[in-house]
Amino acid sequence: MLSATKTCSLIKERRISTTEALEEVLGRIRDREEDLHCYITLDEEGARQQAKLIQSRIDDGSLKGPLAGAVVAVKDNICVRDLPATCGSKMLAGFIPPYDATVTEKLRDAGCIIIGKTNMDEFAMGSTCENSYFGPTKNPYDTSRVTGGSSGGSAAAVAAGEAMIALGSDTGGSIRLPAACCGVVGLKPTYGRVSRYGLIAYASGLDQIGPMGRSVEDCGEMLSLLSGADSRDATSRQWEAVDTGAALGRGVKGLTVGLAEDYLSLCPDEEAKNAVLEAAEKLRDAGAAVEHFSLGYEKYVVPIYYILADAQASSNLERYDGIKYGYRTPFEEGQDFGQLMARSRGEGFGGEVKRRILVGSFVLSAGWYDAYYKKALAAQALLRRCFDEAFSKYDLILMPAAPSVAPKLGVYKDDIIGAYRGDVFTVTANLAQLPAMSIPAGVNHDGLPLAVQLMADRFREDLLLAAGAELEKRGGHENDEGI
Ligand code: GLN
């Protein structure tokens, strides 16, 4: 199976139709979905209708974009009108949004076929996709392993050919980590580049929607499509659009790359570490100047992230009270308002979500606000300064994307802190509002995907695409076949 942009070129050249391309994806779904469980909702019939309509718009010349005809999977925390949006939670099971997210409107305008909603950790809280109320998604490379989270359904769907490309959301790594575990490219844009309108909030100051694809080009084209200011999201920004074609052809000659040694040393897996060193070599061979440096704050970023993210989550999730909307506990005679709310929340939320609401409420409470939340905000500002300093010297920062290959299912069941610790490589980009990309870097001795991560300064996604394309060309495989 080809990448999304390559398939769309064939459609434009009239060598295949949108319906034929869609049927190939549906065939993959028939073969693999039962084992993998990438989707919470599949809309086969809707997709078939969209394919016909899009074909006619391509035929009459009104649709010309690089992703016209692409079959896209959308993470289940992004609203698609008339399709359920569960957020992987019992709390929202049965919720059908009557409106489209801004990114969904953009997909429709560009002629993408929305095939369904993908599985995820409940409210995007997790690193394995095992926290979903609907059960875990399995890794297409080895179904005894997790996909990484929280956008695990999107990553697995793209890797297995159950979609050509997908949307995920990234609050602390949820695009990049599952992309790394499933051997696909995952791009978290600069905070503000893509509208969050219609994205069900986890931690609003960190959340960002982005693409997951089988090639750097696919992610670049999808990024261009999604970008832009939106009057419905006050934090969105109009910025110079990324010229994907130019970025992909730029190469890395003359660029400076800083390899964050302090973060690399935290990587417990030798093969994952070597993948980063090899990527540095490849970039050097391609004409970049690579230097080792210490970014700083590596011991603090996970605590900072979990204080800020949980605090924001506790506030965002307050709205699910069983009254306004969301799951409501069955009626009981004599039950007062407080009991109704407590029971609805108790029954509707899973364990991890409750843990985070408790931690978040605690760090925001009058007695502890200064000691935790305020301190974490100050530390976040210091981390941003470390990045400012680094980007005054380097165009790109290179570091691991994940601590290891995809772990076995259940490994983190009783090791919550272990799972949190694994986020050390990804949360920095969210805390500093930077764009970052996870790029496949071959496979380990067991044939499981390895990956590396690149970061750039705010709104410099073009540099990520340039370096990502270079690494892809030099053997960090383009997953054209799917697995
Ligand atoms: N693993 C992180 C968490 O559980 C990141 C999640 C995300 O990016 N949505 O918070």
Side-chain angles (χ1 to χ4, degrees), residues 331-354:
F331 175 77
E332 252 180 59
E333 206 62 62
Q335 180 171 253
D336 67 24
F337 174 73
Q339 287 163 336
L340 174 88
M341 192 194 286
R343 281 190 197 140
S344 297
R345 287 170 70 82
E347 292 162 19
F349 287 134
E352 184 58 28
V353 174
K354 285 181 197 160

Side-chain angles (χ1 to χ4, degrees), residues 148-292:
S150 65
S151 316
S154 288
V158 173
E162 291 193 26
M164 292 181 198
I165 186 166
L167 298 191
S169 70
D170 193 313
T171 304
S174 280
I175 287 177
R176 290 160 286 156
L177 183 61
C181 291
C182 293
V184 301
V185 182
L187 172 54
K188 172 220 161 315
T190 308
Y191 184 78
R193 191 184 269 285
V194 177
S195 167
R196 288 180 297 109
Y197 176 76
L199 169 69
I200 298 170
Y202 161 15
S204 318
L206 307 167
D207 299 340
Q208 192 60 186
I209 296 171
M212 306 170 82
R214 281 198 287 273
S215 70
V216 173
E217 182 182 19
D218 280 4
C219 287
E221 294 297 1
M222 183 57 89
L223 176 73
S224 305
L225 192 162
L226 302 176
S227 300
D230 178 7
S231 59
R232 296 175 294 189
D233 171 7
T235 61
S236 67
R237 300 274 297 273
Q238 194 59 42
W239 210 261
E240 200 182 319
V242 174
D243 179 343
T244 304
L248 294 173
R250 186 207 179 283
V252 294
K253 270 206 189 72
L255 294 183
T256 49
V257 180
L259 195 163
E261 219 165 26
D262 41 356
Y263 283 77
L264 185 67
S265 71
L266 294 178
C267 187
D269 181 316
E270 278 310 308
E271 285 179 285
K273 234 186 218 174
N274 281 335
V276 175
L277 295 171
E278 278 168 26
E281 245 356 273
K282 284 177 190 162
L283 293 173
R284 201 173 272 140
D285 289 347
V290 184
E291 222 178 77
H292 290 226

Side-chain angles (χ1 to χ4, degrees), residues 75 124-127 149-150 169-174 202 305-306 356 423:
K75 187 175 179 179
M125 296 174 188
S127 308
S150 65
S169 70
D170 193 313
T171 304
S174 280
Y202 161 15
Y305 169 78
Y306 275 96
R356 297 195 188 198
D423 291 336

Side-chain angles (χ1 to χ4, degrees), residues 367-416:
W368 297 102
Y369 179 89
D370 284 350
Y372 289 99
Y373 191 70
K374 214 166 148 193
K375 213 186 253 176
L377 283 177
Q380 181 187 27
L382 290 175
L383 176 72
R384 285 188 186 160
R385 246 186 263 161
C386 291
F387 273 109
D388 286 345
E389 201 181 305
F391 285 122
S392 69
K393 290 198 211 113
Y394 308 115
D395 297 300
L396 290 160
I397 293 175
L398 175 67
M399 67 162 81
S404 65
V405 294
K408 291 270 186 192
L409 286 152
V411 162
Y412 287 124
K413 200 164 151 268
D414 300 313
D415 183 16
I416 309 298

Side-chain angles (χ1 to χ4, degrees), residues 34-74:
E34 207 175 308
D35 288 338
L36 299 179
H37 186 221
C38 302
Y39 289 95
I40 294 177
T41 303
L42 259 170
D43 184 24
E44 278 193 41
E45 273 328 297
R48 288 198 172 101
Q49 284 166 16
Q50 293 174 63
K52 281 197 200 119
L53 207 76
I54 287 163
Q55 185 67 56
S56 64
R57 288 174 61 203
I58 292 172
D59 291 343
D60 70 20
S62 58
L63 264 182
K64 295 197 177 77
L67 288 170
V71 179
V72 184
V74 176

